[in-house]
Amino acid sequence: WHKGAEPLPFPPHRRYPTVELRAETFNGSTHVPVPSDSAFLQALLLELRLLQQHVFVEQRDTCTRIEHSSVHSVSTPAGELWPVLAFHKSGLIYACMPLVEGPLEPRPPLLSVSGLSQGLALLLGIMEHVSPSRKNEAELSAKIGQLRNLLIQACPLGTPLNTDIRSLNGSFQDIQEMPADKDQPAWRSSSYKGKPQVNVCITEKVKCMQYGQRDVVDTWQVYGAVNCKCDIEGSAPSVTLSLSLPTNAPPLQDIVVHHCVTSVDPAMLMSTSAEPLHDSVYNGPYKFPFIPPSDSFNLCYYTSQVPVPPILGCYQLVEEGSQIKITVNLKLHESIKNSFEYCEARIPFFNRGPIAQLEYKVSYGQLDLSREKSLLVWVIGQKFPKSLEVSLTGTVSFGTAGKEHPTDYVCTGNTAYVKLYFRIPDFTLTGCYVDQHCVQIFVPGKPKITASRELISSDYYIWNSKAPAPMVYKPLLD
């Protein structure tokens, strides 16, 4: 609504019937249906004192209804609509109704309603798109006219995917409110014009817990995601992508596919890491025929039971009087590509004061002390030496602890860890890769295929073998 002028005959808005149905399911008997668009607008303007502002309206003007935020309760014939997020800025009113995933009585605290922050971010994105043109009525009307189509891309199914509305300006003309072709799926919100090209990136993350103790089993897990961006003309282009594995590589398991995948072998989806590997496990081929969305998306996720972690480590921390002695040994497995974008080991010291004295020796790389003097950062760099082994030994003493130094209720005494951070480009731990020659695209023209892959550490811990590992980090053993 344009404050200071006549109300727009049909203000730009968008309703999401699926979200309204979810609200009815979540809210149960406390659900209040959203009225018609015109009735909601009138009720909102009344609540914001932009209608009948000189008339006393009891449900709005009583002393018990003092508003301290932009979250309002709007009165309708069916009951009170809450929460309605609304504010006005530079003569324009911005409003939305976030979903509350639960009953509305008693009203939950505002901080517990995650939709409020999402709705606010979306409204602020709309405001940044519109407000620079507020002094030019023609330009303002044009930008407001774009909003309905922009929201299809920014918030297609009711959940904001991109709140930076200004970044969508260049593509709004390509957005179709309804598919022109009945065969075009709903997730293809825009059409592409130009040379066909497909970009695929396999990202694997490895989690690891190493204890260096006989009675505790080390664990490691690999999680993969295949991200695609397909710029292809047509309302429903067909693409088939295949994932390949080296000979004798462990199979992919726990595969979850994007809803745009049209068909897969059911045995592929039944292969699970919950059961030990056996002869009946699905070994491929891993083919995914799909009709790609307009934007970047994750085609599938998977796990795999790889035989060894990429880096084997041993950490020893022993307290001797006022000092502690540390020893860290790391070995890169010979099957791993020795070419890192970065590789470093971080050694935190909890529940102690700042490091007052440090004596150390590293066989490779460089050791740095953090600014707050509570963390050692061992920068190994982009390669391990030819031996594939590196070591660090040192003696550390501490000053008086202050409030700014890290504390941890789990890591007390000598219970401590080293955490590894690394990224290996053009490599996957499973060996999984995309054969560019096996990507099939059934459209005219020769498409450009770009494929990449990477291995990234995630929660890669090496625990002090001279102290008991905390139970919360131990695997669940039968």
Side-chain angles (χ1 to χ4, degrees), residues 339-360:
S339 179
F340 294 78
E341 180 180 308
Y342 58 85
C343 181
E344 65 182 39
R346 299 183 184 180
I347 311 170
F349 297 98
F350 299 105
N351 311 306
R352 305 175 189 271
I355 295 176
Q357 187 174 359
L358 171 64
E359 296 179 1
Y360 68 91

Side-chain angles (χ1 to χ4, degrees), residues 402-418:
K403 293 182 179 180
E404 69 277 8
H405 294 283
T407 59
D408 193 301
Y409 294 108
V410 174
C411 299
T412 58
N414 288 351
T415 299
Y417 61 77
V418 174

Side-chain angles (χ1 to χ4, degrees), residues 23 26 33 55 73 93 131 135 173 175 179 208 245 275 283 285 288 303 316 369 375 453:
F26 278 124
V55 178
S73 179
I93 297 172
S131 60
K135 293 182 180 180
Q173 292 178 340
I175 301 173
C208 190
L245 292 173
E275 299 179 0
N283 286 291
F288 301 90
T303 67
Q316 295 183 346
L369 178 61
L375 175 72
R453 54 184 184 163

Side-chain angles (χ1 to χ4, degrees), residues 52-187:
Q52 302 183 26
Q53 58 264 48
H54 302 301
V55 178
F56 177 80
V57 180
E58 184 173 354
Q59 74 268 22
R60 179 192 69 186
D61 299 323
T62 177
C63 292
T64 60
R65 285 290 307 277
I66 300 176
E67 299 292 347
H68 295 286
S69 72
S70 298
V71 181
H72 300 272
S73 179
V74 176
S75 180
T76 72
E80 294 284 323
L81 275 179
W82 183 92
V84 176
L85 182 59
F87 60 89
H88 46 82
K89 181 76 172 178
S90 302
L92 295 174
I93 297 172
Y94 304 85
C96 70
M97 276 201 65
L99 174 67
V100 178
E101 298 183 344
L104 298 174
E105 295 294 342
R107 287 185 180 176
L110 293 182
L111 289 177
S112 68
V113 182
S114 59
L116 281 172
S117 58
Q118 295 176 342
L120 180 60
L122 182 63
L123 293 181
L124 292 176
I126 294 173
M127 184 183 70
E128 289 178 359
H129 165 73
V130 172
S131 60
S133 308
R134 61 186 177 84
K135 293 182 180 180
N136 186 321
E137 286 293 330
E139 188 176 344
L140 177 62
S141 297
K143 288 208 169 186
I144 290 177
Q146 297 167 9
L147 279 178
R148 186 167 174 80
N149 284 340
L150 290 175
L151 282 174
I152 295 175
Q153 190 171 11
C155 191
L157 299 175
T159 299
L161 302 180
N162 186 354
T163 58
D164 186 5
I165 306 298
R166 290 187 300 179
S167 68
L168 306 176
N169 288 358
S171 59
F172 76 90
Q173 292 178 340
D174 295 332
I175 301 173
Q176 304 169 17
E177 185 166 341
M178 293 296 292
D181 190 324
K182 62 182 179 62
D183 296 326
Q184 180 173 341
W187 57 83

Side-chain angles (χ1 to χ4, degrees), residues 184-378:
Q184 180 173 341
W187 57 83
R188 283 188 66 81
S189 59
S190 63
S191 59
Y192 172 78
K193 300 293 182 182
K195 185 177 180 180
Q197 52 187 355
V198 175
N199 293 290
V200 185
C201 179
I202 302 176
T203 298
E204 287 188 355
K205 294 185 178 181
V206 55
K207 294 187 176 184
C208 190
M209 293 283 172
Q210 299 181 38
Y211 304 96
Q213 299 180 14
R214 292 184 178 181
D215 59 335
V216 185
V217 179
D218 294 345
T219 63
W220 55 92
Q221 300 167 305
V222 179
Y223 304 87
V226 181
N227 184 267
C228 298
K229 179 69 168 70
C230 302
D231 294 325
I232 306 172
E233 292 186 0
S235 58
S238 179
V239 181
T240 299
L241 185 146
S242 298
L243 299 181
S244 302
L245 292 173
T247 306
N248 299 324
L252 305 183
Q253 296 177 291
D254 304 320
I255 297 175
V256 179
V257 300
H258 192 274
H259 58 74
C260 72
V261 176
T262 54
S263 65
V264 290
D265 190 322
M268 183 193 303
L269 304 181
M270 295 297 292
S271 180
T272 171
S273 59
E275 299 179 0
L277 295 177
H278 50 79
D279 294 338
S280 62
V281 71
Y282 188 87
N283 286 291
Y286 303 96
K287 288 189 175 182
F288 301 90
F290 60 95
I291 299 174
S294 307
D295 298 319
S296 175
F297 70 102
N298 285 328
L299 176 66
C300 69
Y301 301 90
Y302 62 84
T303 67
S304 182
Q305 300 181 46
V306 295
V308 293
I311 299 177
L312 297 169
C314 178
Y315 179 35
Q316 295 183 346
L317 182 151
V318 179
E319 198 159 358
E320 295 182 356
S322 60
Q323 295 181 330
I324 63 170
K325 291 187 175 181
I326 60 171
T327 302
V328 184
N329 294 303
L330 302 176
K331 180 179 181 181
L332 180 68
H333 194 270
E334 57 268 17
S335 65
I336 306 302
K337 180 182 179 182
N338 189 10
S339 179
F340 294 78
E341 180 180 308
Y342 58 85
C343 181
E344 65 182 39
R346 299 183 184 180
I347 311 170
F349 297 98
F350 299 105
N351 311 306
R352 305 175 189 271
I355 295 176
Q357 187 174 359
L358 171 64
E359 296 179 1
Y360 68 91
K361 180 181 179 182
V362 291
S363 66
Y364 194 80
Q366 175 182 334
L367 189 68
D368 296 325
L369 178 61
S370 67
R371 180 178 299 178
E372 67 276 9
K373 298 185 178 180
S374 60
L375 175 72
L376 296 179
V377 181
W378 181 12

